[in-house]
Amino acid sequence: MKLNYVVEGKGEPLIFLHGLSDDLRYWEVLTSTLKKKYQVIRLDLRGHGESELGDEDYYY
């Protein structure tokens, strides 16, 4: 399955995961500041935002 993600900035990597029913846009405000010093990686979890749901069963 394809997962949607955005990588911005340079430096130590920070990975941001959103909560249930959100998407990577949840972290936009925080990212605008942190990407000046860090590499910020945001992703849409499976079945959220632009990420695919996939064919296999999964449970929350």
Side-chain angles (χ1 to χ4, degrees), residues 2-4 23-24 44-45 47-52:
K2 293 181 183 176
L3 294 177
N4 182 47
D23 61 25
L24 59 76
D44 287 331
L45 298 176
H48 293 75
E50 300 295 319
S51 288
E52 294 179 353

Side-chain angles (χ1 to χ4, degrees), residues 21-39:
S21 299
D22 283 322
D23 61 25
L24 59 76
R25 295 175 298 168
Y26 181 84
W27 300 108
E28 282 181 351
V29 173
L30 189 57
T31 298
S32 65
T33 301
L34 291 175
K35 70 182 180 181
K36 296 172 186 172
K37 186 174 179 181
Y38 299 97
Q39 180 185 47

